[in-house]
Amino acid sequence: MQQDEFHPGQRWISDSEPELGLGCIVQVTHRRVTAAFRASNQKREYARNNAPLRRVRFRVGDTVKGRDEKSMTVTAVTERNGLLFYRAGNHEISEAELSDTISFNTPEERLLAGQVDPPKVFELRVEALQQLHRSRKSGVRGFVGGRIELIPHQLYIASEVAGRLAPRVLLADEVGLGKTIEACLIIHRLILTGRAQRVLILVPETLIHQWFIELLRRFNLWFHIFDEERCRAIENINLGQNPFLDDQLIVTTLSLFTQNPVRLEQAMDAEWDVLVVDEAHHLAWSPENASPEYTLVEGLSGKTPGLLLLTATPEQFGMTGHFARLRLLDPDRFYDLTGFIRETERYQEVAREAEQIGDPKQLQTLLDQHGTGRVSFRNTRATVHGFPTRVPRIEALKPDASRHERIDWLIRLLREVEPDKVLLICRTQAKVAAIEVALRERLKNVEAAVFHEGLSLLQRDRNAAWFADERGARLLICSEIGSEGRNFQFAHHLVLFDLPLDPEVLEQRIGRLDRIGQKSEIQVHVPYVLNGGQEVLTRWFHEGLNAFAKNLEGGNEILERFGARVHELTQHFLKSKLQPLIEDTKASHAEIQKRLHEGRDKLLELNSFRREVAEKLVQEIEAQDDDASLDEFILRVFDQQAIQAEELAPRTYRVGSAGVLADSFPGLPADGFTVTADRKRALVREDIQFLTWDHPLVTGAIDLMLGSEKGNSSFGHWPDAKTPGLYLEAVYVLESVAPPQLHVDRFLPPTPLWIIVDQHGKDSRKAVTREALVGTLETDELQELLDESKFREDLLPRMFTGSQDLADREAATIVAAARKEMSARLSEEITRLQELRQVNKSVRQEEIELLLKQQKELDDHIAAARLRLDAIRLIDAVS
């Protein structure tokens, strides 16, 4: 690679590791050469005949620094005994005496030092800039990366809420419509756009694992589970430290704070950007009294800009309970319960009027002016389509039925529905093990997997993936944990081997298959033993609540009314008491359903889903899903980083770590993993990573490219040029450095400006297009040109000046357009909210003031956008 002979004291730079800085040859043998990179405290030994090193030669006019860090302008260069000597006036130093901190990181410095990368590396860097620009400005950034089906109402709500400066809303979709997904979409977008760094999620203890899984498996968000033990461990390591400052993204339970007031004080002091509270209907409040849980959420939410409350039953405990949730979101707006009740009574008339309006703009105006649509979102199964039919298959077994006879029933079912897959859920890990053992004793070569809390997360994933595989397990036997957070809707047969007491747990079980987007009817198989506890539960759910066939509303209230009676009867079975229980339950259930239906806020439902907006979001995400440029880009990055990638199926790759640089590749584990850019495949194979422009592997690849000097200086020969000459290709980046919460990327993301000038510094973009250059240049040596004083002192400076002038003019135009777009969009929204506030108090004055402040700050930051030269390529088109 080198033409010079190695001598101790010479200064060389590594082509493969330029980040090491300026190296000094310290030892030369017949076969080996050793270089010390003192600035980075590293030493490298190379084969003498194949060392990836390039000699550093400064020339007259260059500025260099000695070990004393004093700069000098070179007036003469001589070479003696293999070493270069630099003179400035009467002062002379050898190259061995140069400062170790001299770097060649900027494009100009690297080009002048002869540090150039092959043309294809330059082109990959430019593509990374373009993809960064497109991603940052995308309206679906943070949405496209979710391992989710593209369900319109979920995307609409996420877009509407995440578009606000300080979102404070109630997500109240019915069970099965995806409130958790909506919340995760919102969190993901806020984090990726930089508007949220610190997020605290509070959930019931039984749901903490479900949330952790949803965030990690669907959105690649690693939240840390906090409990008392973890808090103490952090405090023991760092005495006096607030444990909630140890991590940015935390999920925990309300009980952590109710059991230890000190933890609440610490959490209050931790300054969160967003607070999320699941199952918010359990936060009890009345004008006379507030529960400890409500009080602590009230305290935390008062110090947190963003607040998401989740509940499927916002009015389960009446209007008082609903008002209590709204009061947390906006205490200034919702301060008078009596006034709120009077106000909501008027919404029914407005709702009837809204349902008659055909003009979308008129409807939008009406919905904006009335109701709680600014702070509440609720979709119901009555308004959202796409749910399957449930078919109950109830089978009574004789009272003396042995365990083996129950297994025989399961074997008969498996044979009857073959080759369909079957999901079986029971209460405990022990019962899972017993069923598996008994089944294998009676049925040889059974393809069955298990899923329970005794397995590691990796084992569960593998078993679930085996079940999801078309050629994998036919039966998955789950403990209750299988009913949390998992999507098994590719299966259509559910076996409830036993039944829970809680109707909501039952609904959660069935919800593994009965989900929006399910394409087939669901067969719900319920085997029960006569004259015992399971008969009580089966008939109570089936005859009293019709819970196997229909989604159950008001489950908590049902449990509160009848839970004790049902439990008592399961322990002491009396057939004479069962039918009265069923009849009482039917009557109560009908009354609860009637009340919930009459209490539906139709105005709220109309405002919670606007199909035309949602369809545009879906179309944009689908367009990104179908764009193969993602695969092409990431595979080129893997190739450039010497990382192995094997295509296993269309758009599906096994990414290994055979390359020497793999350890430093962000988002890539040491043993590699499998990724797919196919959304359908990702939805049924949770063991495979879903590759999108939002994925950490892709964002990490872009950061890796742009965070180093790789590709920022290049030289190539253009043998087939139609217009011969010498050209300078320059890529500038126009960027605004602004606080993340302003989300300036909406209007001015890092914007690459492509310029090409001829040797006179004149614009050559009409004669030479980018498309004509990609893939056509050949790697060439630059040294001969650099040795020409006319090139270094005349031609190159003129070309630099010409490209900078062109970029400056284009940047001014882009900045002006961005300021105009920002002002127009925010002024329209400010005016709209100001007018709405006159008729709808759910528009917070704080929201308007924040928008006005943001508009001023955005204008200042966009106006101060800077232009930075990111990469240059010198092109020799002389034949």
Side-chain angles (χ1 to χ4, degrees):
M1 181 173 293
Q2 74 287 340
Q3 295 178 350
D4 301 71
E5 284 295 321
F6 290 112
H7 290 279
Q10 289 177 342
R11 310 314 293 265
W12 297 70
I13 193 167
S14 169
D15 280 338
S16 61
E17 298 177 281
E19 65 274 9
L20 294 176
L22 190 61
C24 181
I25 303 301
V26 294
Q27 186 177 18
V28 182
T29 69
H30 179 66
R31 294 186 176 184
R32 314 294 292 178
V33 59
T34 304
F37 299 89
R38 298 187 181 97
S40 54
N41 196 28
Q42 298 289 315
K43 186 177 285 189
R44 295 287 188 270
E45 187 176 276
Y46 306 99
R48 183 173 177 177
N49 294 329
N50 194 31
L53 297 172
R54 188 181 297 274
R55 183 81 182 273
V56 174
R57 292 176 176 270
F58 292 102
R59 296 166 177 79
V60 173
D62 289 343
T63 299
V64 299
K65 291 190 296 183
R67 291 196 183 280
D68 58 3
E69 297 298 316
K70 290 183 179 179
S71 298
M72 53 181 276
T73 300
V74 178
T75 58
V77 183
T78 58
E79 186 169 358
R80 302 192 293 272
N81 299 322
L83 292 183
L84 297 171
F85 288 81
Y86 300 106
R87 177 175 294 277
N90 295 325
H91 182 58
E92 184 182 75
I93 62 173
S94 73
E95 61 180 299
E97 299 173 279
L98 290 174
S99 169
D100 296 312
T101 61
I102 291 177
S103 64
F104 306 95
N105 293 330
T106 68
E108 306 100 307
E109 290 172 340
R110 293 192 69 221
L111 185 69
L112 288 169
Q115 300 298 311
V116 291
D117 298 310
K120 68 176 183 178
V121 181
F122 171 87
E123 290 165 3
L124 185 60
R125 182 183 186 90
V126 174
E127 183 177 354
L129 286 169
Q130 294 168 333
Q131 297 296 357
L132 178 66
H133 170 77
R134 180 203 55 75
S135 174
R136 289 282 185 88
K137 196 166 186 177
S138 171
V140 294
R141 185 183 181 199
F143 301 155
V144 71
R147 188 201 295 264
I148 60 170
E149 290 194 47
L150 303 180
I151 298 176
H153 79 270
Q154 294 176 353
L155 290 167
Y156 170 76
I157 290 175
S159 177
E160 175 68 20
V161 175
R164 300 180 186 179
L165 283 179
R168 297 179 70 90
V169 299
L170 177 69
L171 303 179
D173 282 357
E174 276 188 350
V175 174
L177 271 70
K179 294 177 298 300
T180 305
I181 294 298
E182 291 164 5
C184 290
L185 282 166
I186 294 164
I187 293 168
H188 195 216
R189 179 161 172 85
L190 292 177
I191 289 174
L192 287 192
T193 56
R195 289 176 292 151
Q197 285 83 42
R198 294 184 50 75
V199 180
L200 176 64
I201 301 178
L202 303 179
V203 302
E205 192 166 356
T206 55
L207 299 181
I208 198 165
H209 185 267
Q210 174 184 339
W211 270 88
F212 176 81
I213 290 294
E214 290 284 278
L215 290 159
L216 179 60
R217 296 304 185 206
R218 292 186 183 274
F219 296 92
N220 298 293
L221 291 176
W222 188 284
F223 272 70
H224 299 267
I225 297 175
F226 267 49
D227 55 17
E228 182 61 28
E229 182 180 358
R230 178 160 188 156
C231 290
R232 287 179 180 174
I234 294 170
E235 290 174 327
N236 289 338
I237 295 172
N238 302 291
L239 295 178
Q241 177 177 317
N242 183 338
F244 293 99
L245 296 178
D246 198 59
D247 291 295
Q248 298 283 80
L249 308 175
I250 293 175
V251 57
T252 187
T253 63
L254 286 165
S255 60
L256 176 65
F257 304 119
T258 56
Q259 294 172 5
N260 190 340
V262 173
R263 299 295 176 224
L264 178 58
E265 293 177 12
Q266 292 170 330
M268 294 271 283
D269 293 336
E271 297 184 356
W272 308 97
D273 297 314
V274 178
L275 172 66
V276 182
V277 184
D278 196 10
E279 303 293 338
H281 53 274
H282 291 307
L283 303 176
W285 177 91
S286 70
E288 298 78 27
N289 186 39
S291 68
E293 292 81 4
Y294 187 96
T295 301
L296 74 86
V297 170
E298 185 175 25
L300 282 167
S301 65
K303 300 186 68 174
T304 306
L307 175 63
L308 305 181
L309 301 179
L310 281 66
T311 175
T313 52
E315 298 180 12
Q316 180 178 336
F317 300 107
M319 290 300 292
T320 299
H322 186 36
F323 176 79
R325 253 59 70 198
L326 298 177
R327 181 176 174 274
L328 290 172
L329 297 168
D330 189 353
D332 294 332
R333 160 72 175 92
F334 301 101
Y335 62 90
D336 179 10
L337 175 58
T338 303
F340 172 72
I341 293 173
R342 285 199 303 267
E343 186 178 331
T344 55
E345 290 172 352
R346 297 195 298 270
Y347 294 161
Q348 301 302 321
E349 181 180 346
V350 178
R352 286 191 292 271
E353 179 183 345
E355 289 179 321
Q356 304 303 315
I357 295 178
D359 186 337
K361 290 185 177 180
Q362 291 183 15
L363 177 59
Q364 172 68 61
T365 301
L366 184 68
L367 295 176
D368 271 345
Q369 292 177 351
H370 301 277
T372 59
R374 291 288 302 172
V375 292
S376 298
F377 294 88
R378 180 168 175 80
N379 288 289
T380 66
R381 293 185 180 223
T383 57
V384 175
H385 304 291
F387 285 94
T389 301
R390 297 181 186 176
V391 181
R393 302 293 188 189
I394 314 298
E395 183 148 354
L397 302 177
K398 296 178 180 179
D400 59 349
S402 67
R403 186 185 72 182
H404 280 178
E405 287 171 330
R406 298 189 74 200
I407 295 299
D408 285 343
W409 171 88
L410 178 59
I411 291 171
R412 289 196 303 272
L413 175 68
L414 289 172
R415 288 171 174 164
E416 176 187 333
V417 303
E418 191 174 5
D420 292 354
K421 291 182 180 289
V422 177
L423 175 67
L424 184 152
I425 301 181
C426 57
R427 282 201 297 264
T428 66
Q429 176 184 339
K431 186 168 286 189
V432 169
I435 294 171
E436 183 192 25
V437 169
L439 188 61
R440 293 193 184 280
E441 288 175 353
R442 307 283 297 224
L443 187 64
K444 303 302 181 185
N445 301 321
V446 60
E447 294 177 328
V450 297
F451 190 100
H452 55 72
E453 53 271 35
L455 301 176
S456 69
L457 186 60
L458 180 60
Q459 289 172 312
R460 287 181 224 161
D461 282 347
R462 285 175 174 169
N463 289 355
W466 186 36
F467 182 53
D469 192 315
E470 290 182 4
R471 294 171 294 182
R474 280 196 59 219
L475 173 67
L476 183 66
I477 309 170
C478 297
S479 67
E480 205 69 78
I481 198 173
S483 64
E484 296 179 355
R486 289 283 173 168
N487 178 358
F488 296 119
Q489 70 182 55
F490 54 84
H492 311 132
H493 294 273
L494 174 66
V495 172
L496 301 175
F497 209 73
D498 56 23
L499 293 171
L501 177 63
D502 189 339
E504 291 201 346
V505 174
L506 174 67
E507 188 60 38
Q508 193 174 57
R509 283 190 184 186
I510 301 175
R512 296 315 95 211
L513 276 60
D514 184 7
R515 309 175 67 83
I516 189 167
Q518 170 68 266
K519 302 299 189 293
S520 302
E521 67 177 19
I522 298 169
Q523 307 288 322
V524 183
H525 302 274
V526 189
Y528 72 93
V529 177
L530 289 165
N531 302 333
Q534 284 299 307
E535 178 178 1
V536 174
L537 289 169
T538 301
R539 294 185 60 192
W540 182 59
F541 279 125
H542 186 48
E543 299 172 31
L545 297 170
N546 198 26
F548 301 127
K550 298 291 184 181
N551 173 62
L552 181 63
E553 296 179 299
N556 276 330
E557 189 171 352
I558 291 289
L559 183 63
E560 288 182 1
R561 292 190 187 186
F562 295 99
R565 281 177 66 182
V566 175
H567 178 72
E568 174 64 22
L569 200 53
T570 62
Q571 301 303 306
H572 307 285
F573 179 78
L574 286 174
K575 187 161 288 236
S576 60
K577 291 188 176 183
L578 180 55
Q579 195 60 40
L581 170 65
I582 291 172
E583 295 302 323
D584 291 348
T585 301
K586 287 174 66 175
S588 288
H589 185 218
E591 177 263 315
I592 291 171
Q593 280 189 306
K594 183 174 184 294
R595 172 163 49 81
L596 290 175
H597 181 77
E598 291 176 349
R600 276 177 53 202
D601 189 340
K602 296 182 179 63
L603 196 63
L604 175 59
E605 291 174 6
L606 286 169
N607 200 42
S608 295
F609 178 41
R610 297 174 189 174
R611 184 168 296 278
E612 67 281 0
V613 176
E615 286 177 350
K616 289 180 181 178
L617 293 169
V618 171
Q619 290 167 6
E620 187 171 350
I621 295 173
E622 287 178 338
Q624 288 198 27
D625 283 351
D626 295 339
D627 187 357
S629 66
L630 168 63
D631 309 51
E632 296 165 2
F633 170 74
I634 198 67
L635 289 175
R636 284 200 296 274
V637 175
F638 289 154
D639 181 60
Q640 194 265 333
Q641 293 291 320
I643 292 173
Q644 185 178 16
E646 176 189 3
E647 186 169 13
L648 304 178
R651 305 194 72 187
T652 303
Y653 312 91
R654 174 64 193 177
V655 183
S657 55
V660 295
L661 302 179
D663 288 345
S664 61
F665 198 96
L668 181 62
D671 56 350
F673 53 28
T674 302
V675 299
T676 182
D678 184 336
R679 185 177 294 273
K680 291 181 180 178
R681 186 184 300 272
L683 284 172
V684 298
R685 289 292 304 274
E686 294 193 357
D687 60 319
I688 297 178
Q689 294 277 319
F690 181 35
L691 194 67
T692 70
W693 290 109
D694 286 346
H695 192 281
L697 187 72
V698 180
T699 58
I702 293 175
D703 291 342
L704 186 67
M705 287 295 303
L706 302 182
S708 72
E709 64 268 26
K710 281 289 185 183
N712 73 349
S713 169
S714 182
F715 175 65
H717 176 61
W718 192 9
D720 301 321
K722 295 182 179 179
T723 310
L726 193 63
Y727 298 96
L728 181 70
E729 185 180 3
V731 181
Y732 296 83
V733 175
L734 179 63
E735 53 195 2
S736 175
V737 180
Q741 60 269 24
L742 289 177
H743 193 195
V744 72
D745 289 347
R746 291 172 292 169
F747 310 106
L748 185 62
T751 303
L753 306 183
W754 182 79
I755 306 291
I756 187 165
V757 296
D758 61 18
Q759 61 195 41
H760 305 293
K762 301 299 182 182
D763 190 353
S764 297
R765 284 174 291 184
K766 289 184 178 179
V768 181
T769 64
R770 283 187 52 222
E771 292 73 21
L773 294 174
V774 174
T776 62
L777 301 189
E778 299 175 352
T779 301
D780 204 353
E781 289 292 330
L782 179 60
Q783 198 62 49
E784 186 177 340
L785 269 176
L786 290 176
D787 288 340
E788 296 181 13
S789 59
K790 181 180 180 182
F791 170 76
R792 292 173 57 87
E793 299 171 13
D794 183 16
L795 287 181
L796 196 56
R798 186 187 309 146
M799 297 166 85
F800 274 135
T801 300
S803 67
Q804 183 70 55
D805 289 344
L806 286 170
D808 285 339
R809 289 198 292 272
E810 287 201 7
T813 301
I814 293 171
V815 166
R819 293 176 71 185
K820 183 178 180 181
E821 179 191 1
M822 180 278 299
S823 179
R825 282 173 54 180
L826 265 64
S827 293
E828 180 181 0
E829 181 66 7
I830 290 167
T831 301
R832 171 175 168 264
L833 293 183
Q834 287 173 333
E835 292 175 351
L836 286 177
R837 182 163 170 78
Q838 304 303 315
V839 293
N840 188 342
K841 293 181 181 179
S842 65
V843 177
R844 294 181 292 139
Q845 180 60 33
E846 178 190 4
E847 189 174 358
I848 297 173
E849 292 171 356
L850 281 172
L851 272 174
L852 288 166
K853 180 182 178 184
Q854 183 191 54
Q855 186 180 43
K856 173 65 169 62
E857 292 177 348
L858 276 169
D859 190 62
D860 291 342
H861 285 291
I862 294 174
R866 67 182 186 184
L867 193 63
R868 170 178 59 82
L869 177 61
D870 184 87
I872 51 176
R873 179 164 64 176
L874 191 64
I875 301 171
D876 177 12
V878 179
S879 58

